[in-house]
Amino acid sequence: MTDSRKSVRLPSVRTTFDAEPLLRGVALRVTRPRVAVLTAVHEQPHADTDSIIRSVRGDLGEVSTQAVYDVLRALTAAGLLRRIEPAGSVARYESRVGDNHHHIVCRSCGDIADVDCAVGDTPCLTASDDHGYAVDEAEVVYWGTCPACSTTPSS
Ligand SMILES: [Zn+2]
Ligand SMILES: [Zn+2]
């Protein structure tokens, strides 16, 4: 991020993503930190908190870490963001909510990709014993090695 580019003001350079109606839709007040966080996660699916803070600061200048955490919590509680936390990974956020899609995680670099709902036989999604619970969700995480990592010998 060079300073020379900062003076160029192109309001329309932002993607067509519009955070404001989403915030209004869940009755959250439209604030610049909320818009910045929502936009950052939209542009960087599965971003961790550090990268979200970095891009929010790139947008708004000084914003406290706590403020970003608060916004992430509020947006997640409102259902605008989904928080995922694969084992051994820091929490990550995405704006693709509502479809309970799955994730595939690289064991080597931690890269995460979306996987649509499982197709074919999915016996593990049907609990053999539901213990009387009304099951409404099963969480699936696929682990493996991403293409970049499987071609680059690691050490
Ligand atoms: Zn990888
Ligand atoms: Zn995802």
Side-chain angles (χ1 to χ4, degrees):
M1 207 130 309
T2 60
D3 277 340
S4 55
R5 291 205 54 177
K6 259 202 143 165
S7 56
V8 184
R9 216 54 194 143
L10 291 173
S12 60
V13 86
R14 272 290 183 203
T15 55
T16 51
F17 178 72
D18 191 356
E20 296 193 19
L22 291 173
L23 289 167
R24 292 206 187 88
V26 295
L28 280 181
R29 210 155 47 83
V30 176
T31 64
R32 293 179 68 212
R34 283 174 180 165
V35 170
V37 167
L38 206 47
T39 307
V41 176
H42 178 79
E43 289 172 351
Q44 259 182 285
H46 315 127
D48 60 19
T49 313
D50 284 349
S51 22
I52 295 168
I53 290 170
R54 229 174 300 132
S55 66
V56 168
R57 287 195 175 139
D59 267 11
L60 302 182
E62 199 43 55
V63 179
S64 75
T65 304
Q66 191 55 48
V68 174
Y69 274 99
D70 290 346
V71 169
L72 283 170
R73 202 174 311 121
L75 295 180
T76 305
L80 292 181
L81 293 183
R82 177 174 165 194
R83 179 190 154 108
I84 56 169
E85 199 167 352
S89 162
V90 296
R92 291 157 181 271
Y93 294 87
E94 64 185 341
S95 57
R96 180 177 165 184
V97 293
D99 65 353
N100 191 37
H101 64 272
H102 310 302
H103 292 102
I104 189 161
V105 186
C106 177
R107 287 187 197 281
S108 175
C109 69
D111 194 42
I112 299 183
D114 285 339
V115 179
D116 287 340
C117 254
V119 292
D121 278 335
T122 53
C124 288
L125 297 181
T126 307
S128 53
D129 179 357
D130 62 15
H131 297 272
Y133 284 52
V135 175
D136 58 30
E137 182 177 332
E139 187 177 281
V140 176
V141 178
Y142 302 94
W143 294 89
T145 308
C146 77
C149 288
S150 52
T151 53
T152 322
S154 67
S155 121

